Amino acid sequence: MAEPLHPVPRHVAIVMDGNGRWANRRLMPRVVGHKFGVDALVRIIHASAARGIEYLTVFAFSSENWKRPQDEVSGLMNLVMVAVSKYLARMAEDGVRIRIIGDRSHVAEKVRAAWDHAEARTANNRRITVSVAFNYGGRWDVVQACQRAIAEGLRPEQIDEAALSSRMSLTYAPDPDLFIRTGGEVRISNFLLWQTAYSELYFTDCLWPDFDERALDAALEDYARRDRRFGRVKTDIAPSGEVVSLPAGS
Ligand code: IPE
Ligand code: IPE
Ligand code: MG
């Protein structure tokens, strides 16, 4: 295996974009691109675990993706069941814990059942936690955290960043260190708005089905050269955000 890259991000978040264009270029239906996108995801999950990444969070279906043609939406839903039955056993054996983040309320029962099964089967694994954002939106996440805080009876003065953070998705993970978007677009598209406040952003033209170990390593190398400051002047800060040491007087 290649030399380990330092520092390795603890948490990587990915907008897996470009499946449709990948298929179009091959004169194939968009849903074929999504199918190859699942294969790319499985490769990247195993590669991430091998590189010591502890948390991987991927955008699979956004709150806005319901606006796509009906056949593409149903193709994506079917792919969830196919992917779980095809890949779950190997992931479970490889120490992968799967979590789903997003609004489950409008997702069909059989899709919810597949996700519930994947979560339950892998619940005790700890090598890498893969969070699949499905019917997820960053704005939805903020709103649902506020709704929960109010439902729990918090008074306005009790609502602070910690109160919302603890009710947001991904409370079990540190904030993403590295945010990757494939497919050439340079935007967030309503992914993790709250949690990426200090993530390092990396955009690549590579279409998601082509994103392989080499492409991941290129992103990790780029990340390793970043100077994370978190608003400070000095650079003696661990990739986790922890301040290692500060010179006297700073
Ligand atoms: C990302 O690929 C996957 C989903 C949004 C489900 P796209 O389907 O957005 O692919 P492009 O951007 O049209 O190429
Ligand atoms: C973001 O990609 C959502 C996912 C990758 C699941 P989109 O293709 O939906 O984003 P836009 O429409 O280009 O902003
Ligand atoms: Mg897209």
Side-chain angles (χ1 to χ4, degrees), residues 213-231:
E213 287 85 347
R214 281 184 57 175
L216 176 65
D217 285 339
L220 295 179
E221 275 163 30
D222 197 279
Y223 171 80
R225 288 193 297 270
R226 303 283 179 97
D227 181 15
R228 304 188 76 187
R229 289 192 291 278
F230 300 93

Side-chain angles (χ1 to χ4, degrees), residues 5-9 177-180 200-204 214-228:
L5 300 153
H6 291 288
V8 174
D177 302 293
L178 173 61
F179 171 106
I180 298 172
E200 296 298 324
L201 308 180
Y202 179 87
F203 298 93
T204 170
R214 281 184 57 175
L216 176 65
D217 285 339
L220 295 179
E221 275 163 30
D222 197 279
Y223 171 80
R225 288 193 297 270
R226 303 283 179 97
D227 181 15
R228 304 188 76 187

Side-chain angles (χ1 to χ4, degrees), residues 123-199:
N124 296 324
N125 288 342
R126 286 294 180 275
R127 186 164 175 232
I128 183 169
T129 297
V130 176
S131 303
V132 181
F134 198 85
N135 195 18
Y136 177 87
R139 290 179 173 178
W140 165 84
D141 204 357
V142 176
V143 168
Q144 66 83 27
C146 294
Q147 287 176 336
R148 282 174 56 192
I150 292 166
E152 288 167 27
L154 268 72
R155 294 188 306 278
E157 62 274 19
Q158 291 177 299
I159 296 182
D160 55 14
E161 289 187 14
L164 288 188
S165 284
S166 65
R167 288 168 179 80
M168 211 77 70
S169 300
L170 297 176
T171 48
Y172 47 84
D175 283 344
D177 302 293
L178 173 61
F179 171 106
I180 298 172
R181 181 171 184 143
T182 63
E185 311 295 355
V186 186
R187 55 179 172 249
I188 310 286
S189 297
N190 199 18
F191 196 24
L192 304 160
L193 298 178
W194 177 274
Q195 299 89 338
T196 52
Y198 266 103
S199 302

Side-chain angles (χ1 to χ4, degrees), residues 15-17 59-62 65 68 181 185 187 189:
V15 178
M16 308 182 291
D17 195 25
F59 208 4
F61 192 86
S62 78
N65 287 151
R68 294 191 176 200
R181 181 171 184 143
E185 311 295 355
R187 55 179 172 249
S189 297

